[in-house]
Amino acid sequence: MAYPMQLGFQDATSPIMEELLHFHDHTLMIVFLISSLVLYIISLMLTTKLTHTSTMDAQEVETVWTILPAVILIMIALPSLRILYMMDEINNPSLTVKTMGHQWYWSYEYTDYEDLSFDSYMIPTSELKPGELRLLEVDNRVVLPMEMTVRMLVSSEDVLHSWAVPSLGLKTDAIPGRLNQTTLMSTRPGLFYGQCSEICGSNHSFMPIVLELVPLKYFEKWSASMS
């Protein structure tokens, strides 16, 4: 999760988030190089009186500054499209979980099980235990198996919500009357926090999401105890 004074992204937990971080660094380097070149040219123009009479009519210069931006855009677009297609892939999910947004809590249903569903409310500040995080802890965590493909079906029963977990690279809109889907896979166990990322009313800030990723054998024990 994020920590105070953090400047970068949260540590990646899924392959998709790792790809997004690499793409971010790739694009940021291109922006840095362009900005450095523009600042260098501006500084030269301000500090020297030397001019060239044929600069404004040079066909070679116009060709370069037309082709070069197109090449840079292609260098950004190709990795971006690759990640977009990767995010939309559904590779034989091992588990399906349906989440519904409400004002102002989430409800979850494990559709592969006969009767496994629950509501997830934020724990009020007055009821927090030592070490728990304010505005992020919930009474019922979403327990999922790690290193397995999980399909999340996201919808809403009232207004627009958005189910988002930054460290997994997930952000899916919950729209009334529409069922959106996304996939997640964690490469390591742990607790991963998220929040509703769509302004949905007065208690929008009090809709946390907590995913608890555990090895398969622990998930099976948990599901058996909940059923």
Side-chain angles (χ1 to χ4, degrees):
M1 60 171 292
Y3 55 85
M5 305 299 292
Q6 180 175 338
L7 297 179
F9 290 100
Q10 297 182 25
D11 292 338
T13 307
S14 66
I16 291 295
M17 190 58 190
E18 290 178 3
E19 292 288 341
L20 289 172
L21 288 178
H22 292 155
F23 175 68
H24 168 266
D25 296 340
H26 166 75
T27 308
L28 195 63
M29 184 56 65
I30 293 176
V31 171
F32 175 75
L33 292 175
I34 293 173
S35 302
S36 301
L37 178 62
V38 171
L39 286 173
Y40 175 70
I41 294 175
I42 290 175
S43 63
L44 284 182
M45 293 175 64
L46 293 176
T47 57
T48 181
K49 296 181 180 180
L50 299 176
T51 57
H52 199 287
T53 55
S54 61
T55 300
M56 301 305 294
D57 297 324
Q59 295 296 322
E60 295 82 1
V61 175
E62 292 185 4
T63 302
V64 169
W65 72 39
T66 301
I67 294 177
L68 190 59
V71 172
I72 293 172
L73 289 176
I74 291 173
M75 291 173 60
I76 296 175
L78 292 180
S80 175
L81 291 172
R82 172 176 167 269
I83 296 175
L84 282 174
Y85 279 104
M86 288 175 60
M87 294 174 69
D88 283 338
E89 285 183 357
I90 307 294
N91 295 321
N92 298 322
S94 305
L95 179 69
T96 299
V97 180
K98 180 181 178 183
T99 175
M100 299 291 292
H102 307 264
Q103 289 181 311
W104 287 270
Y105 65 97
W106 297 98
S107 61
Y108 299 93
E109 178 184 352
Y110 289 69
T111 59
D112 298 287
Y113 294 82
E114 188 171 333
D115 187 21
L116 180 51
S117 61
F118 53 83
D119 296 331
S120 181
Y121 290 87
M122 185 193 75
I123 299 177
T125 304
S126 59
E127 299 178 12
L128 289 176
K129 298 176 182 177
E132 292 185 335
L133 301 170
R134 178 177 172 270
L135 302 182
L136 287 177
E137 297 292 348
V138 296
D139 55 356
N140 289 309
R141 294 171 175 170
V142 183
V143 181
L144 297 172
M146 58 175 284
E147 295 181 336
M148 296 180 68
T149 303
V150 179
R151 174 172 55 188
M152 299 296 301
L153 303 177
V154 184
S155 187
S156 171
E157 285 200 355
D158 37 49
V159 299
L160 291 175
H161 300 280
S162 185
W163 197 82
V165 183
S167 59
L168 290 168
L170 297 175
K171 184 179 184 295
T172 303
D173 288 339
I175 303 172
R178 178 171 178 173
L179 200 62
N180 290 329
Q181 73 174 1
T182 186
T183 57
L184 65 92
M185 184 180 70
S186 173
T187 55
R188 55 191 170 91
L191 286 177
F192 306 104
Y193 294 88
Q195 289 179 303
C196 177
S197 296
E198 187 77 44
I199 296 177
C200 55
S202 59
N203 289 336
H204 158 68
S205 301
F206 310 116
M207 289 183 63
I209 301 160
V210 183
L211 302 185
E212 184 175 351
L213 277 300
V214 297
L216 180 59
K217 62 179 181 180
Y218 295 106
F219 172 76
E220 291 175 340
K221 290 180 181 178
W222 174 83
S223 60
S225 65
M226 292 289 290
S227 299

